[in-house]
Amino acid sequence: MIDTVTKNYGIDNEFVSYQVTYVNSNRVKSVPLDEANTDYQAIQEWIAEGGVVIDNGGGE
Amino acid sequence: MSYIGSKPADAVLETDDITDGVITTSKLADNSVTTAKTSYFDAPFRNIIINGDYSIFQRGDTVTGVTDQVYSAPDRWKTQIFSTAVFTISKSTDVPSGQGFASSCKWDCTTANASPSATTFMIHEQRIEGQNIQYLEYGTSSAKSLTASFWVKSNKTGAYTVGLYSVDGSRHIESSYTISTANTWEKKIITFAGDTAGTINNDNGEGLRLWFHLGAGSNWSSGTHATTWSDYAQADVLVDNQVNLADSTSNEWLVTGVQLEAGTTASDFEFLPYDVNLRRCYRYYWGWWDKADAGVNATAGGLAVMYTSAILYVSGFFPVTMRATPSLDQASGTNYYTFYRNGAADNFDDFTLQGSGRTNKNGYEMNNSTDISGTAGQAGFIRCNNVNAYIFFDAEL
């Protein structure tokens, strides 16, 4: 079960992937922005159900 | 036998009309025996299921505490548990005797749920890529039947549901099998009609799902068990009196030799070499090391370079083209990974995947910019540094 979703930014400060943590787990997934990726699909469902993505901005 | 060698009149040939050795290969014209005269679809890779013999467990041979909808232990097999019940999913050497199988998949109930709520479900399933099964010709009058065969064993006798679900057209067909004798391997064969009104998109998404139901709440059984292809209705999935595998911690369910093939006949299980089976699984899940090989200052990872004094970059290629751009699936923890460079080591906790085309179906690019410091331009290598650490790339369906 998804706990948090945070936007990842690349060296050019562009949004490149999501960082996902899970409840009661040390598992972390970095999820690409690919509609064929089922983790990406799960994030979109999570957002549709009210999940809020953490956006700390770029700045590397 | 006088008519052998000349054109016979219409007559019924009996088994003993042709003795062994009378019809030799040379007496058959080239290409005279076609698949139309074989009892099954005899093409290589006729088994649509990947890892049907449960030989590949990249995620570990035993996964405890399974309570979610995840790929737990065996490659390509998804566990769907929506229940207070908890299971251990493992690779077992308990197999049907004399069939050639070396392993099976075992569901072992560790926390029971004897009174499931209406929404509860427990499913063992494989999702099949749509572009692999276009030859089934779903949605046409030529839609091919599919025959599922498998070996199954449980202490829980009774009725179980197995079926096919097509996500593109939102259609399904269900059937059932009965475990007649407790704790005894039984082979089951079930033929499903082709879906002349269905849809399987020719793409890398899910085209078809073979699912084994191990118990569910009333939302899954309040309708009529759908034994013909029909628009999907959750209420029509389960057979009456479906076993609840979660009603006791004494319960277990084992399965192996799962084959799904075109036609109405079950052929012998199609054993593939281990390496072929493994590479087929790599299309969906591949990692730097198997979980069982993790350790402190242990298994090699990838080569890496300090892009700046504070950003470590790693890139590499997958052994096969993956189904889609994969997620980076990793364990995160203090000093789980080590970067060795310039005669020294620097520990860090996890990686961030660089998407947007840099990571794609063929290769990956990832970095750490939170735990690392060093001299820009220095190269080195990554090692696993914790028994719980893993780095996988996940493109499962």
Side-chain angles (χ1 to χ4, degrees), chain B residues 38-93:
Chain B
T38 60
S39 63
Y40 60 90
F41 181 59
D42 62 352
F45 298 99
R46 64 181 177 275
N47 189 2
I48 293 168
I49 297 298
I50 297 173
N51 199 25
D53 61 354
Y54 297 94
S55 57
I56 311 297
F57 280 65
Q58 291 186 85
R59 295 165 177 85
D61 286 354
T62 299
V63 178
T64 60
V66 180
T67 62
D68 206 348
Q69 295 156 58
V70 295
Y71 284 85
S72 56
D75 275 63
R76 298 282 22 270
W77 290 98
K78 187 166 188 175
T79 301
Q80 294 225 56
I81 298 177
F82 186 77
S83 170
T84 57
V86 181
F87 283 81
T88 292
I89 313 292
S90 64
K91 184 178 189 178
S92 172
T93 55

Side-chain angles (χ1 to χ4, degrees), chain B residues 45-51 58 75-76 132 270 272 274-285 320-321:
Chain B
F45 298 99
R46 64 181 177 275
N47 189 2
I48 293 168
I49 297 298
I50 297 173
N51 199 25
Q58 291 186 85
D75 275 63
R76 298 282 22 270
N132 280 354
E270 184 184 27
L272 297 178
Y274 181 86
D275 60 314
V276 174
N277 210 7
L278 181 61
R279 289 183 72 83
R280 297 199 76 193
C281 294
Y282 281 167
R283 178 169 173 78
Y284 305 91
Y285 202 70
V320 301
T321 299

Side-chain angles (χ1 to χ4, degrees), chain A residues 1 8-12 14-17 19 25-34 36-40 60, chain B residues 68 307 313 323-332 336 351-356 358 369 390 394 396-397:
Chain A
M1 183 183 301
N8 293 323
Y9 289 86
I11 54 176
D12 298 321
E14 74 281 31
F15 173 36
V16 293
S17 61
Q19 202 82 346
S25 173
N26 67 348
R27 167 179 255 178
V28 173
K29 277 192 167 184
S30 255
V31 179
L33 312 180
D34 180 353
N37 180 295
T38 53
D39 291 317
Y40 179 85
E60 284 186 342
Chain B
D68 206 348
Y307 176 71
Y313 260 86
R323 181 192 65 82
T325 303
S327 303
L328 167 61
D329 182 10
Q330 61 186 327
S332 175
Y336 267 27
F351 287 101
T352 298
L353 188 74
Q354 299 298 294
S356 300
R358 293 165 187 155
S369 61
Y390 60 86
D394 184 348
E396 290 283 9
L397 284 163

